[in-house]
Amino acid sequence: MDNPEMAKVIFQPSGRRGEVEKGINLIEASRQLGVDIEALCGEKKVCGKCKVRVEQGTFQKFGITSSMDHVSGWQEEEDKFVTKKEKEEGFRLACAAKVEGDLLIFVPEESRAGKQVVSKAARDIPIELDPTVKLYTVTCMPPTFEEPTGDFERMCREIEKEYDLTDLSVDWHTLRKLPSAIRKGKWTITAAVWNDKEVINLWPGEVKDYYGIAVDVGTTTVAGYLCNLRTMEVIETASMMNPQCKYGEDVMARITYHQMNPGGLERMSDDLVEGLNNLIANACEATHPPKVKQKDENGKVVKDEDGKPVMVEAPEEGVEYLRLTPDDLVDITFGCNTAMHHIFLKLDPEPVGLAPFPPVIHHSLDIKVRDLGLNINSGSYAFILPNEAGFVGADNVCVLVAEEPQKKEEIALIIDIGTNGELVLGNKRKLISSSCATGPALEGAQLSCGMRAAPGAIERITIDPDTHEVDYKVIGREAWLKFSEPEQMQTKGICGSGILDVLAELYSSGVISKSGRFAKEQKSDRFRTNPDNPRQKEFVIAWAKETSIGKDVVITQKDIRQIQLGKGALYTGCKLMMRRMNIDKVDTVKIAGAFGTHVDKAKALTMGLFPDCDLEKVSSVGNAAGDGARVALLNRAKRDEANWIARNVEYIELTVESDFEQEFAAAMMLPHMNDEFPHLEGVVPEEILRQK
Amino acid sequence: MDNPEMAKVIFQPSGRRGEVEKGINLIEASRQLGVDIEALCGEKKVCGKCKVRVEQGTFQKFGITSSMDHVSGWQEEEDKFVTKKEKEEGFRLACAAKVEGDLLIFVPEESRAGKQVVSKAARDIPIELDPTVKLYTVTCMPPTFEEPTGDFERMCREIEKEYDLTDLSVDWHTLRKLPSAIRKGKWTITAAVWNDKEVINLWPGEVKDYYGIAVDVGTTTVAGYLCNLRTMEVIETASMMNPQCKYGEDVMARITYHQMNPGGLERMSDDLVEGLNNLIANACEATHPPKVKQKDENGKVVKDEDGKPVMVEAPEEGVEYLRLTPDDLVDITFGCNTAMHHIFLKLDPEPVGLAPFPPVIHHSLDIKVRDLGLNINSGSYAFILPNEAGFVGADNVCVLVAEEPQKKEEIALIIDIGTNGELVLGNKRKLISSSCATGPALEGAQLSCGMRAAPGAIERITIDPDTHEVDYKVIGREAWLKFSEPEQMQTKGICGSGILDVLAELYSSGVISKSGRFAKEQKSDRFRTNPDNPRQKEFVIAWAKETSIGKDVVITQKDIRQIQLGKGALYTGCKLMMRRMNIDKVDTVKIAGAFGTHVDKAKALTMGLFPDCDLEKVSSVGNAAGDGARVALLNRAKRDEANWIARNVEYIELTVESDFEQEFAAAMMLPHMNDEFPHLEGVVPEEILRQK
């Protein structure tokens, strides 16, 4: 079966794997297998962003041996980016190392590309395996005249004997499978039991591996993590745009759509469910061999009656295909923000949008998937993570479930930045939460040049303090502007992760002052008065020729004000919560969500996005909603913990605090106070610290 | 509101009531209000079958005072049928007593007409009120910035405070009603809670009365009892043919239909569910005012666009209409035999039809009504009573739940006669059950003249021992043949309740001998050799001119053999069970089902249908499946008791007993053994006892 031209490569933590041709570099291998590795310079070995680690050893689970001998030799360009210690640990630049044999490659978080629209990778988090759904295989005696007990009680008796599990009930649809399954398995049968209570699926004979999916329903993006519930392995990651985007980009727009359109709530929910079913089908489809067009002996494509090419499976040699179907999935969990939660479940979201923003329910829900219209095993329950408050949803609960500040001594500040900033502060003694109206600016929305994180969106930027010249990178293209022809950029706007870069660079380069106004002294023709609107000052980020929209991408004085309002709201929220807790410093800051993954922490701290903290104690906790849903899928105690959190974290409404307004005004300054960052000396560019 | 021409009349135990014109007799009043009173002689005051009791006193619940002064005076014909003691208790012949004022009339079981196809009346059984679904009304504080807890937790907090009910979950569909209901009720809300666990319905403000329905799904007939869950009152009784009859008259025919037709099981179930929804809708419709054709000022019927008459409500004065809709019902219970249970729930019934007949499940089931497609309140659960064994279903469980032999010292034999006889024997120390293949003959099926209990079916018969002349009564006509013109009878065949009459009368009149063969000496031309089949001996029950089928209704030697086989199987079953229990006499015999209601106990005992027992200890327990379903609807402890019964009653397969064959052969004799019935002297006609 071994083709000497090919090598097996596995990328972790995503688990993606397959065979690739020997001789290609690791970036190309990652592309072929659907893994995204950061490659800013376009594989020119000059940016050092594509660092990966070659794992060494024999990996029985995957049937390969991976070693340093299976990659091409060290190149001197790598010395610049890989430290001696890292080199010893097996680190290489993915653009420099070529595949020469089987490999298991670990892609560190900082090397993963931020294609949030395309994929949200599963993060490595420690999870203790104890799923809500468990399998039990038993062998029964067939019925006789002396012992004609019914099938279900016959099976339960053996389950009780072997596993000490009593008083099981059974899902109706599952019960319908029982007589044929138990006879087909010659009285050996495997039962999937939910919560030690209810039999929700049955298979003839013995079954060991079984599957579930954790889903993060974001306002913009939906991601699913298909997991093996025996091994905890993430088999597939699938993601899509939230199909509700067509009814409104943000939460408030969708609540308004519901208010204005009878049946709108049902329509939004139904669209999401249809999308979820596609997402699930796609994730399962990926466990089947790829399909290719069937060809006849002459190499001509065979077509069906309708003239469409006939597709046939083309299994790759040596690859084991699970061939899952949605019906194989026995558990599903959902993490959503409160508004997405309500719209998904067709619960009136109107009260969530009106002060004091009470949700319809906080507690988690177990809903039969067939009720929701989800096409997985029909006896299964969907577990919907609980809501903390009207604007503090399961995303936040998920962060707490994964990060566990409620079990620690140190005081953590957890920030989830979206249209609303969701904040949690505290430690094992007390946790409070709040939300602040950061507005959509920090996500890049509603700015003159703002856009969603999609190909063509500026996600990184630098501005030269001497010339005010701009360099940047867009999603979908690895090389920065200075490594590209202008026409290659196809720029469209600035996305959320680029916004803070823009603000910080505008400030540190002196384009704007501490108050956020454009400085009097400007060094380039990028600063101008809008030709059509003499009252609008603006700064050109990308010239028309670099764009695909045929006009300059600019940032206006109003845009800057919007960003300042956002960061001011966030900072004020943090500060007022700290005052409530009677503390003046937090021990750790954790930034959740895509924003946290992409933001430059030093810049965020410098710009005053959140109060002072040791830089190394500021961390991104990635796609927390997805992680939380996955944790809830794999460990049922975490479901109770999530409810404990939703019940015990005290929600505080900040806008009613006495000096909210003054705090807010002060927080809009850039940066908040220079002398609050003594430790930033050396970390933050001198120009920033020097500036008043 | 009081019309001096009218009087309010209420019939118990059915609860049917309304206003009737003064001056009509009680039979006519019962007809108008949909109550069936036995009236064999056609209101000629000569049969004495229509005895009813006039209740005396003021009945606040119904707002009336009922007294003997409200009926017309005593008539001397009544002396013949109403004893002095009964007269003192208020008994009258319904055909003799006329309405002269408000009345509450009790119709004893023996006076109720056996129109099983039309209606199955609810029996008076003592039930302790403790329904599975209960209502809780609470008033909450509206949410504020200081206390923005979500709607569900806000409501639960008050329920916990006032009623000490904790850890409630909520049905998804019900949760969707919460935000509008709680606001519409100005933060006062009533919750329907299932099993102290789950909120399954919500109403704004305070609600006190609430409703449920108990359903008995028989192979032939389906009956529903719509009950007020606060007062236990039976509001309406509705019944229908089981729509599955078109797929086969009996259980085995339907199992065969499933085996032979892919999708047949689903079709049979779907038809039943459609029928159930109609039944429920009809029961609810009966709580609305009757509808009449709308007329214009000239008295002309108003028609709609399609030319159909426009119907308008015509409420009767003084009648309070509940105006229920199916959505108002919050609980539903089902009692079925095992095969009906399986077909209803789309569980493969094949194993139930094959030795050793194991059912798919014994235990009761709680299934969301929306899963089953039942159109009552969508958050509700249907409770499906448990099965004892493959051929001992919930009917039997229901008898035990209602009759409680498991709590008594006396040894009871409980018989439910259908195509299969279902038997239970025992007392508080031990209960065993069994089934015996009585075949369809005892129900009248598969005999040359057999038919279902429907209009035109012979249900009572007498044969003159001297002349062998026949008199009989058919369903749908009150007068016997001798009170009628032959053409008025419109006879079609013999139904189950008439079969034993026929056998007993044939035997006691000497038409047949103890062995079941036609006697050598025959006294009328009713006995003959079939003109078309010289090997077939037969006896004419009804001449062609009395029938609506244009030919004689006859009973053949083969028919008699079938009936003997049925009664022999039943008797053998009882005997073998008694041997297992080591007893030679039972203390009580209870006959369940329509057969028990209609059979003449003395004749059944004489014919050897079941072993010897004091005649006054033989009783009919009526429609036990319906009673059981109603008990389970009104008292939740009875649900657990039903499961206890299904688990603890030991099922015994009789056909594998060693001397089954010999016992069976002996049991086919008529009667079994004369000297077994010493106490029957004087009760049973001398001709029978004398005969050898």
Side-chain angles (χ1 to χ4, degrees):
Chain A
M1 79 165 224
D2 279 341
N3 181 340
E5 308 293 307
M6 306 292 280
K8 284 188 211 163
V9 179
I10 297 135
F11 285 94
Q12 292 289 52
S14 69
R16 291 207 170 246
R17 53 181 141 158
E19 285 205 327
V20 301
E21 232 175 297
K22 288 179 183 171
I24 62 170
N25 70 17
L26 290 175
I27 294 265
E28 176 58 24
S30 75
R31 262 194 223 106
Q32 291 183 12
L33 300 177
V35 179
D36 298 314
I37 295 178
E38 188 89 274
L40 293 190
C41 67
E43 298 169 57
K44 292 190 171 69
K45 303 171 204 162
V46 294
C47 75
K49 295 292 182 197
C50 62
K51 254 187 271 181
V52 297
R53 190 173 70 226
V54 177
E55 306 286 2
Q56 301 188 62
T58 297
F59 300 91
Q60 296 212 316
K61 186 168 132 192
F62 303 109
I64 66 160
T65 297
S66 169
S67 92
M68 293 310 289
D69 297 331
H70 293 180
V71 284
S72 57
W74 188 261
Q75 298 193 10
E76 65 175 63
E77 292 98 321
E78 293 177 270
D79 284 325
K80 241 169 102 183
F81 305 105
V82 182
T83 64
K84 211 171 155 189
K85 186 165 169 287
E86 287 176 335
K87 190 176 169 183
E88 280 165 15
E89 290 170 351
F91 275 96
R92 296 293 305 268
L93 289 189
C95 61
K98 288 176 186 155
V99 177
E100 298 192 343
D102 294 354
L103 286 167
L104 183 71
I105 302 292
F106 182 77
V107 186
E109 196 187 322
E110 60 272 20
S111 300
R112 286 176 222 154
K115 288 195 184 175
Q116 35 171 159
V117 178
V118 183
S119 156
K120 286 184 171 182
R123 201 161 61 104
D124 275 330
I125 42 174
I127 307 174
E128 194 184 327
L129 184 67
D130 182 20
T132 302
V133 177
K134 295 203 180 70
L135 300 195
Y136 299 94
T137 302
V138 290
T139 299
C140 317
M141 297 294 295
T144 62
F145 276 125
E146 288 68 41
E147 218 306 83
T149 301
D151 298 346
F152 181 67
E153 279 76 11
R154 188 167 292 274
M155 176 182 80
C156 288
R157 199 164 48 195
E158 297 305 319
I159 292 178
E160 180 167 355
K161 235 188 274 175
E162 286 190 44
Y163 303 103
D164 205 24
L165 211 59
T166 56
D167 292 326
L168 288 181
S169 67
V170 58
D171 168 68
W172 174 41
H173 282 200
T174 306
L175 184 63
R176 294 185 56 196
K177 301 178 183 176
L178 178 55
S180 69
I182 204 167
R183 284 163 183 81
K184 197 172 162 198
K186 298 199 168 67
W187 302 92
T188 293
I189 192 159
T190 300
V193 176
W194 176 82
N195 244 333
D196 291 349
K197 274 187 212 161
E198 181 178 334
V199 178
I200 57 156
N201 205 2
L202 293 164
W203 300 268
E206 182 171 17
V207 167
K208 283 189 166 168
D209 283 290
Y210 64 119
Y211 305 89
I213 189 164
V215 184
D216 155 25
V217 179
T219 310
T220 307
T221 314
V222 177
Y225 306 90
L226 175 55
C227 298
N228 180 321
L229 297 182
R230 186 177 67 83
T231 64
M232 301 211 285
E233 188 188 359
V234 176
I235 307 282
E236 287 297 337
T237 298
S239 61
M240 64 170 185
M241 289 275 293
N242 188 329
Q244 297 168 356
C245 286
K246 60 176 169 284
Y247 303 109
E249 290 255 328
D250 60 34
V251 160
M252 283 311 298
R254 290 190 210 158
I255 294 179
T256 305
Y257 181 80
H258 151 65
Q259 291 166 321
M260 307 301 285
N261 298 277
L265 182 59
E266 287 70 21
R267 208 170 304 136
M268 287 191 282
S269 175
D270 293 346
D271 280 9
L272 175 61
V273 169
E274 189 187 336
L276 288 168
N277 283 331
N278 286 333
L279 182 96
I280 292 166
N282 291 341
C284 289
E285 187 56 38
T287 66
H288 290 251
K291 283 188 175 162
V292 295
K293 289 173 190 166
Q294 190 181 6
K295 289 182 181 170
D296 63 16
E297 53 268 36
N298 305 319
K300 252 188 83 182
V301 172
V302 180
K303 296 189 175 172
D304 66 12
E305 286 172 357
D306 301 330
K308 282 184 192 155
V310 175
M311 304 300 289
V312 290
E313 288 192 346
E316 284 180 59
E317 220 178 306
V319 179
E320 214 181 290
Y321 295 98
L322 291 174
R323 294 177 180 273
L324 297 182
T325 66
D327 214 39
D328 290 316
L329 310 187
V330 295
D331 202 4
I332 188 165
T333 57
F334 287 94
C336 322
N337 63 50
T338 308
M340 286 306 104
H341 171 283
H342 280 44
I343 294 174
F344 175 30
L345 300 181
K346 301 181 184 174
L347 303 173
D348 182 3
E350 199 172 320
V352 170
L354 284 173
F357 319 111
V360 175
I361 188 168
H362 296 276
H363 203 275
S364 66
L365 288 162
D366 294 303
I367 304 177
K368 282 274 170 193
V369 294
R370 57 180 181 254
D371 257 3
L372 291 168
L374 295 170
N375 295 337
I376 71 164
N377 164 56
S378 77
S380 294
Y381 288 92
F383 177 79
I384 321 285
L385 278 147
N387 300 311
E388 268 181 56
F391 274 102
V392 186
D395 311 43
N396 208 326
V397 172
C398 287
V399 186
L400 303 195
V401 167
E403 297 296 319
E404 304 188 327
Q406 68 276 15
K407 297 183 179 171
K408 293 172 186 161
E409 184 67 41
E410 61 178 23
I411 291 176
L413 172 65
I414 298 168
I415 301 174
D416 192 355
I417 298 169
T419 305
N420 267 268
E422 300 188 359
L423 306 170
V424 178
L425 177 68
N427 63 359
K428 63 182 182 187
R429 270 179 290 280
K430 185 176 184 165
L431 280 171
I432 59 176
S433 74
S434 187
S435 70
C436 52
T438 48
L442 290 179
E443 288 190 298
Q446 291 183 17
L447 297 184
S448 57
C449 55
M451 67 174 287
R452 215 165 33 223
I458 294 173
E459 54 175 354
R460 294 287 168 84
I461 190 170
T462 63
I463 300 176
D464 189 307
D466 298 326
T467 64
H468 288 188
E469 261 320 290
V470 175
D471 191 16
Y472 63 85
K473 177 193 175 306
V474 293
I475 292 178
R477 180 172 172 77
E478 285 152 7
W480 285 58
L481 174 61
K482 70 177 169 189
F483 295 109
S484 313
E485 295 302 314
E487 299 75 31
Q488 293 177 313
M489 297 309 287
Q490 297 289 308
T491 311
K492 285 184 191 143
I494 306 174
C495 70
S497 54
I499 292 297
L500 205 73
D501 256 37
V502 169
L503 191 70
E505 289 294 318
L506 286 172
Y507 175 58
S508 65
S509 63
V511 177
I512 59 173
S513 70
K514 183 175 167 169
S515 70
R517 287 182 173 275
F518 281 115
K520 297 241 165 75
E521 192 193 328
Q522 295 283 345
K523 292 173 180 170
S524 80
D525 55 0
R526 286 180 179 265
F527 176 77
R528 68 186 185 195
T529 298
N530 183 291
D532 301 324
N533 179 358
R535 298 184 59 177
Q536 180 179 302
K537 304 285 184 204
E538 60 189 28
F539 185 84
V540 178
I541 303 289
W543 297 107
K545 64 181 172 183
E546 301 156 19
T547 73
S548 63
I549 52 176
K551 60 177 187 177
D552 301 339
V553 171
V554 302
I555 189 147
T556 68
Q557 185 67 66
K558 196 177 149 208
D559 292 338
I560 293 165
R561 194 61 70 208
Q562 291 294 321
I563 304 167
Q564 281 180 283
L565 284 168
K567 81 116 197 163
L570 191 63
Y571 187 90
T572 309
C574 299
K575 269 298 197 193
L576 292 176
M577 286 175 77
M578 288 167 70
R579 198 173 65 189
R580 274 280 187 115
M581 290 279 281
N582 258 327
I583 53 174
D584 51 16
K585 197 163 183 307
V586 298
D587 298 321
T588 62
V589 173
K590 293 168 197 285
I591 314 174
F595 189 91
T597 313
H598 300 290
V599 77
D600 183 312
K601 292 158 203 168
K603 280 179 184 163
L605 195 49
T606 314
M607 285 296 101
L609 211 59
F610 43 81
D612 194 19
C613 181
D614 289 343
L615 191 58
E616 67 268 29
K617 288 287 198 170
V618 177
S619 59
S620 161
V621 292
N623 172 20
D627 288 343
R630 203 153 52 86
V631 169
L633 182 69
L634 297 168
N635 185 303
R636 61 178 168 168
K638 290 288 183 180
R639 298 185 178 191
D640 296 332
E641 200 173 310
N643 279 313
W644 183 91
I645 289 165
R647 206 167 49 240
N648 287 287
V649 174
E650 187 189 340
Y651 180 76
I652 288 167
E653 179 60 37
L654 296 174
T655 52
V656 296
E657 294 277 313
S658 57
D659 47 2
F660 175 78
E661 308 270 328
Q662 297 96 298
E663 287 283 344
F664 191 17
M668 283 177 62
M669 291 292 126
L670 303 173
H672 192 50
M673 286 284 284
N674 277 354
D675 49 7
E676 279 188 18
F677 309 100
H679 61 280
L680 290 182
E681 297 273 358
V683 175
V684 174
E686 288 225 3
E687 336 47 294
I688 293 185
L689 290 180
R690 260 185 286 111
Q691 208 167 357
K692 289 285 166 191
Chain B
M1 77 162 226
D2 278 343
N3 180 341
E5 307 294 306
M6 306 292 281
K8 282 189 211 161
V9 179
I10 297 137
F11 285 94
Q12 290 292 51
S14 68
R16 291 207 169 247
R17 54 180 139 158
E19 284 205 327
V20 301
E21 230 173 299
K22 287 179 184 171
I24 63 171
N25 70 17
L26 291 175
I27 294 266
E28 176 56 26
S30 75
R31 266 195 219 103
Q32 289 184 13
L33 300 177
V35 178
D36 297 313
I37 295 179
E38 188 89 275
L40 294 190
C41 66
E43 298 169 57
K44 293 188 171 68
K45 303 173 206 162
V46 295
C47 75
K49 295 292 182 197
C50 62
K51 254 186 269 179
V52 297
R53 191 174 70 225
V54 177
E55 306 287 3
Q56 302 187 64
T58 297
F59 299 90
Q60 296 213 319
K61 186 168 134 193
F62 305 108
I64 65 160
T65 295
S66 170
S67 92
M68 292 310 287
D69 298 332
H70 292 180
V71 282
S72 58
W74 188 260
Q75 300 192 10
E76 64 177 63
E77 291 98 324
E78 292 178 80
D79 284 325
K80 239 168 103 184
F81 305 103
V82 183
T83 65
K84 211 172 157 191
K85 186 166 171 285
E86 286 176 335
K87 190 175 169 185
E88 278 166 17
E89 288 171 350
F91 276 96
R92 296 294 304 269
L93 290 189
C95 61
K98 289 178 184 153
V99 176
E100 298 193 343
D102 293 355
L103 285 167
L104 184 70
I105 302 293
F106 182 78
V107 186
E109 198 187 322
E110 61 270 22
S111 301
R112 288 176 219 154
K115 287 195 186 176
Q116 37 171 160
V117 178
V118 184
S119 157
K120 287 185 173 182
R123 201 161 60 104
D124 272 334
I125 41 174
I127 306 174
E128 193 185 326
L129 184 67
D130 182 21
T132 302
V133 177
K134 295 203 180 71
L135 300 195
Y136 300 94
T137 303
V138 290
T139 299
C140 317
M141 296 293 295
T144 61
F145 275 124
E146 288 68 38
E147 219 307 82
T149 302
D151 299 346
F152 181 68
E153 280 75 12
R154 186 168 294 273
M155 176 181 79
C156 288
R157 198 162 50 195
E158 297 304 319
I159 291 178
E160 180 168 353
K161 233 188 275 175
E162 286 190 43
Y163 303 101
D164 205 24
L165 210 58
T166 56
D167 292 324
L168 289 180
S169 69
V170 58
D171 167 70
W172 175 40
H173 283 199
T174 306
L175 184 62
R176 294 185 55 198
K177 300 178 184 175
L178 177 56
S180 70
I182 204 167
R183 284 163 183 81
K184 198 171 160 199
K186 298 203 167 65
W187 302 92
T188 292
I189 192 160
T190 301
V193 177
W194 176 82
N195 244 333
D196 291 349
K197 275 187 208 159
E198 181 178 333
V199 178
I200 58 157
N201 204 3
L202 292 164
W203 299 269
E206 182 170 18
V207 167
K208 283 189 167 167
D209 282 291
Y210 65 120
Y211 305 90
I213 188 163
V215 185
D216 155 25
V217 180
T219 310
T220 308
T221 314
V222 177
Y225 305 92
L226 175 55
C227 299
N228 179 322
L229 297 182
R230 185 177 68 82
T231 64
M232 301 211 283
E233 187 188 0
V234 177
I235 307 282
E236 288 296 336
T237 298
S239 60
M240 64 170 184
M241 290 275 293
N242 188 328
Q244 296 168 357
C245 285
K246 60 176 170 285
Y247 303 110
E249 288 256 328
D250 61 34
V251 162
M252 282 312 298
R254 288 187 212 160
I255 294 180
T256 306
Y257 181 81
H258 152 64
Q259 290 166 323
M260 307 302 285
N261 298 278
L265 182 59
E266 288 69 22
R267 209 170 305 134
M268 287 190 282
S269 174
D270 292 347
D271 280 9
L272 175 61
V273 169
E274 190 187 334
L276 288 169
N277 283 330
N278 286 334
L279 182 95
I280 292 165
N282 290 341
C284 290
E285 186 57 36
T287 66
H288 291 251
K291 283 190 174 161
V292 295
K293 290 172 189 165
Q294 189 181 6
K295 291 183 180 167
D296 61 16
E297 54 269 34
N298 305 321
K300 254 188 82 180
V301 172
V302 181
K303 296 189 175 172
D304 66 9
E305 287 172 359
D306 300 330
K308 283 185 192 152
V310 175
M311 303 301 288
V312 290
E313 287 191 347
E316 285 179 59
E317 217 179 309
V319 179
E320 214 181 291
Y321 295 98
L322 290 173
R323 293 177 181 273
L324 298 181
T325 66
D327 214 39
D328 289 317
L329 309 187
V330 295
D331 202 3
I332 188 165
T333 58
F334 286 94
C336 323
N337 64 50
T338 309
M340 287 307 102
H341 171 283
H342 279 44
I343 295 174
F344 174 31
L345 300 181
K346 300 181 186 177
L347 303 173
D348 183 2
E350 199 171 319
V352 170
L354 285 173
F357 319 112
V360 175
I361 188 168
H362 296 276
H363 203 274
S364 67
L365 288 163
D366 294 302
I367 304 176
K368 283 272 171 193
V369 293
R370 58 179 182 255
D371 258 4
L372 291 168
L374 294 171
N375 295 338
I376 71 164
N377 166 55
S378 78
S380 294
Y381 287 92
F383 176 79
I384 321 286
L385 277 147
N387 300 311
E388 265 179 60
F391 275 101
V392 186
D395 310 44
N396 208 324
V397 171
C398 287
V399 187
L400 303 195
V401 166
E403 297 297 318
E404 305 189 327
Q406 68 277 14
K407 295 184 179 170
K408 293 172 186 161
E409 184 67 42
E410 62 178 22
I411 292 176
L413 171 66
I414 298 168
I415 300 174
D416 192 353
I417 297 169
T419 306
N420 268 268
E422 300 188 1
L423 306 170
V424 177
L425 177 68
N427 64 359
K428 65 182 181 186
R429 270 178 291 280
K430 185 176 182 163
L431 279 170
I432 59 176
S433 72
S434 186
S435 70
C436 51
T438 47
L442 290 179
E443 288 190 300
Q446 290 184 19
L447 298 184
S448 55
C449 54
M451 67 173 288
R452 217 170 27 229
I458 294 173
E459 53 173 356
R460 295 285 167 86
I461 190 169
T462 63
I463 301 176
D464 188 309
D466 298 325
T467 62
H468 288 189
E469 263 318 291
V470 175
D471 190 17
Y472 62 85
K473 176 194 176 303
V474 295
I475 292 179
R477 179 170 173 77
E478 283 150 9
W480 284 57
L481 174 60
K482 68 176 171 191
F483 296 109
S484 313
E485 295 302 316
E487 301 72 35
Q488 292 178 315
M489 297 310 288
Q490 297 288 308
T491 311
K492 285 184 191 143
I494 306 174
C495 71
S497 53
I499 293 296
L500 206 74
D501 256 37
V502 170
L503 191 70
E505 290 293 318
L506 287 172
Y507 175 59
S508 64
S509 62
V511 177
I512 59 173
S513 70
K514 183 175 169 170
S515 69
R517 288 181 175 276
F518 281 114
K520 296 235 166 84
E521 191 194 330
Q522 294 285 344
K523 292 173 180 167
S524 79
D525 55 358
R526 285 181 181 264
F527 176 76
R528 67 187 184 195
T529 300
N530 185 292
D532 301 325
N533 180 356
R535 299 184 56 175
Q536 183 179 297
K537 305 285 184 205
E538 60 189 27
F539 185 86
V540 179
I541 303 290
W543 297 105
K545 63 180 173 182
E546 301 156 17
T547 74
S548 64
I549 54 177
K551 57 175 188 179
D552 301 339
V553 171
V554 302
I555 189 146
T556 68
Q557 185 67 66
K558 198 178 146 208
D559 291 339
I560 293 166
R561 194 61 71 207
Q562 292 294 321
I563 303 168
Q564 282 180 281
L565 284 168
K567 81 116 197 160
L570 191 63
Y571 187 91
T572 310
C574 298
K575 269 300 195 193
L576 292 176
M577 285 176 78
M578 286 165 71
R579 199 173 65 190
R580 275 279 188 116
M581 289 280 282
N582 258 324
I583 53 173
D584 50 16
K585 194 163 185 310
V586 297
D587 298 320
T588 61
V589 173
K590 292 167 198 285
I591 313 174
F595 189 91
T597 311
H598 299 289
V599 77
D600 182 311
K601 291 159 204 168
K603 281 181 184 161
L605 195 49
T606 313
M607 286 296 100
L609 212 61
F610 43 81
D612 193 21
C613 180
D614 290 344
L615 192 58
E616 64 269 29
K617 288 287 198 168
V618 179
S619 59
S620 159
V621 293
N623 172 21
D627 287 343
R630 203 153 51 89
V631 170
L633 181 70
L634 296 169
N635 184 305
R636 60 177 171 170
K638 289 288 182 179
R639 299 186 178 192
D640 295 333
E641 202 174 310
N643 279 312
W644 183 91
I645 290 166
R647 205 167 52 240
N648 287 287
V649 174
E650 187 188 341
Y651 180 75
I652 288 166
E653 180 59 37
L654 296 174
T655 53
V656 297
E657 293 279 313
S658 58
D659 46 3
F660 176 78
E661 309 270 328
Q662 296 97 296
E663 287 282 347
F664 191 17
M668 281 177 62
M669 292 292 124
L670 300 174
H672 192 49
M673 285 285 282
N674 276 355
D675 49 6
E676 278 188 18
F677 308 101
H679 61 280
L680 289 182
E681 298 273 356
V683 176
V684 173
E686 289 223 2
E687 325 63 284
I688 295 185
L689 291 180
R690 259 185 286 112
Q691 207 166 357
K692 287 286 164 189

